[in-house]
Amino acid sequence: MFILYPAFALSTVIFLFSCTPGKQVSGYQYGKPFVYSTNIKVEGDIPGGEKKDLTLRLFNQLDDSLRTQESSIAGVYRKLVNPPAFDSANVRRSIGYMVALLNASGYYTPQIRDTFHIDTVHVRRKKPFKDQFRVSIEFRVWPGKQLRLDSIGYDLHTPALQALALQSKGQSLLRRGQPYSNKNLSDELDRLVALFQDNGYYKFSKEDLVIIKDTVVAGLIDPTLDPFQQAALLEELRRKREHPTVHVVVEQRPVRDSSRIKRYYIGHVTVFPDLPILEDTIAISTIDTSTAKGFTIIARTDRFKPSFVANNVYLRPQRMYRKSNYDRTINRFSQMGAWDQASINFSTEGPADSLLDVALRLYPNKKQNLNVGVEASRNTADIITVGNLFGVGVNLGLRNRNTFRQSVLSNTNLRAGVELGNDLIQTTQASIAHTISIPRLIVPWNVRRERRLDSLRSVLNLNASYTDRRQFFTVQSFNASWGYQWTRGNRSFILNPLNVEYTKLFKTDSFQRFLDSIPSLNLAFRSGLVVGTQFIYSSRRKIGIHTNFLRISLEESGALLGLIKEVDQGDLWRFIKGEVEYSHHIDWRRTELAMRAYAGAGWAYGREGKGYEETLPFYKAFFAGGPNSMRGWRIRQLGLGSSKFYDKPENAKYDRFGDVQLEGNIEYRFPLGTLFGVKLKSAFYADAGNIWNRKLIDSAGRDVGSDFRLNRFYKEIAVDAGTGLRLDFDYFLIRFDWAYKLKDPQRLENSDKWFYDMHLSDGQFQLGINYPF
């Protein structure tokens, strides 16, 4: 443990030094003022989040000659490298760029004031000039009132296009009352172009459209207006100054090329499924030419089945050209793994021809590869695998990207690993897994709109593992599942209609004696069979500097099979379990605020012999503590509720599991600098949460406080806080975190008090891989 305190002290010192304002300067022109710092301050009645976002975008508009580059070593030694010479013309140029950005964002009367001052710093150098002239620049920005959209219209003189635009008006990206933005207007034009191209107008482009914006001021100089009309415009102008709005109309430019408003259909389709990179299709000496579903397939080898290739081409002869079918075809072959690249070219026989001939060129990937490596990993979902600690393993994997000549992905993995804990090696594990991933839905019925799904796969998974939890138990497990995976936009889905898991548990005598003293754990720690269904939904949505993550998972076991009484009373587990996880990240220019909320609950309802199951099996139960959960506690060492049983010295070493878990986390992340090319980062964080059983099980009352109750659970929330050092290697990140228990509801004494009897040496060290959320 002696290494923990220096690690914490180092991260604290690094943070404190990173806040010091002084920094060294190199590469400047002696005797000339140079840019030392540039700051932007946005003024006005603007919400805090929008103000920070606008500040960041204004920084990006600065002229390069006002930007500074800084390097540092652990944040202690900061150095300004090659600062640009100061020139007031660059200030004026930057103001022009910022005004252009503000106008494009709907701020029509911005004001920007710039100030700068020069600090003279005496330095000892063997040069004629011994002073530095450091220029600090500040921009104060008053954006003014932001324009908002009042009405949106379409005026396309091609009737078919006008009809399409009006039919899709409900999908418009422009809404009344929405802030004006050039980007939103441009996105609306992109939407219309995609709509038209998806209805046969192959050559229609963004240049064929224009957005017309109204202006009251232009009307005031119209000489044909009478005084009453001018008075009405003046009144409207006054109202617009208070609440500025703008009317926009999407118009079609005059047609100069009739082919741009012509509907196209698919003609002849030729597919080249196995082209080498950079080879011209014209030079191919045809080995095999075949037809499938009206396509001509020209192949050099027999690596791919023609029918399989044809099934994944959505540009069908004699059908109307649709941009979405083009995109689906490219995405389909790019996502399957058997091909490295895919490209499509269109051609017509003449200007008057409305048929598009298609040439689909596919460039195969390497079929097989073998990889051997040492990995650091974690798995927070299952104790049977390497748990929520720092795990080290050796992995041997064999991948085949084109099994059965149909881009079926086959993966075989052998793994041996250890889980490191307080006793150095806490868990050892060996496993073998085989996965077959088929790039289509295999179901006994037709699925509507299957072609609209992306990354579609049917997956067969087989897994066997052996886990030795030192001094506690040994587990042998087998898992087989059949399911489906697909994405739709920024949402992904996993459905396993059949999931079978069998777990055989061998307990040490000392662990069995402990289990005998706690009925809830004794019920959970037994061999068992899981036969059920799993479903996982996840999504990611980014809006400006805000990113939202949502994950929902559901699992059940024994719902149908458990209806057979003899099976229900045997090894079969019957339960339902659900989890919801939501994360929200706010990314500023250099720092980030990450927040997470998590809730999970399960209910066991099957029979065990003559009694009933009352807890989830331990490998499906919830646990807290560790580097990716409640960081003030060791792995699986928090809970249950306010029960004092585990806080006794003789019981403290045992893991804890529950049927209910609530957790919330917040983390403010910031950079420290670089050391030998490695990015150093840190964070301040706090965690709050706990686990509970669904109900009291121990008739002797030893688990009092371990059950979840609405009238007291909020009093049993554990809280920790801490900081740490992170080493960012771009591809992965290593965390050294140090946390303190601020409130411990399991404490034998004064469990309701905050900061009770807390000392500097009482913290908990955590070693983690990548960010916890």
Side-chain angles (χ1 to χ4, degrees), residues 575-609:
F575 65 84
I576 56 175
K577 177 183 175 183
E579 299 172 81
V580 177
E581 182 177 12
Y582 173 76
S583 297
H584 181 75
H585 291 194
I586 305 175
D587 297 297
W588 293 299
R589 191 164 66 100
R590 292 173 56 84
T591 59
E592 178 184 11
L593 180 65
M595 297 167 284
R596 170 182 176 264
Y598 172 87
W603 176 42
Y605 62 92
R607 297 180 62 90
E608 181 191 2

Side-chain angles (χ1 to χ4, degrees), residues 434-502:
H434 184 69
T435 301
I436 297 176
S437 180
I438 305 167
R440 62 186 178 91
L441 279 183
I442 300 180
V443 292
W445 60 84
N446 292 327
V447 178
R448 294 183 59 189
R449 301 183 178 181
E450 175 183 339
R451 294 186 177 185
R452 298 189 179 185
L453 305 179
D454 299 320
S455 303
L456 184 62
R457 288 190 173 275
S458 301
V459 181
L460 173 65
N461 180 65
L462 303 172
N463 179 286
S465 67
Y466 171 86
T467 302
D468 182 7
R469 180 74 163 85
R470 187 178 178 186
Q471 300 177 357
F472 290 95
F473 54 80
T474 301
V475 173
Q476 298 173 359
S477 67
F478 173 78
N479 168 243
S481 66
W482 172 260
Y484 309 98
Q485 301 176 6
W486 69 94
T487 62
R488 185 78 184 271
N490 59 359
R491 298 167 295 169
S492 63
F493 304 82
I494 298 176
L495 173 63
N496 294 330
L498 179 61
N499 177 64
V500 179
E501 303 175 39
Y502 182 73

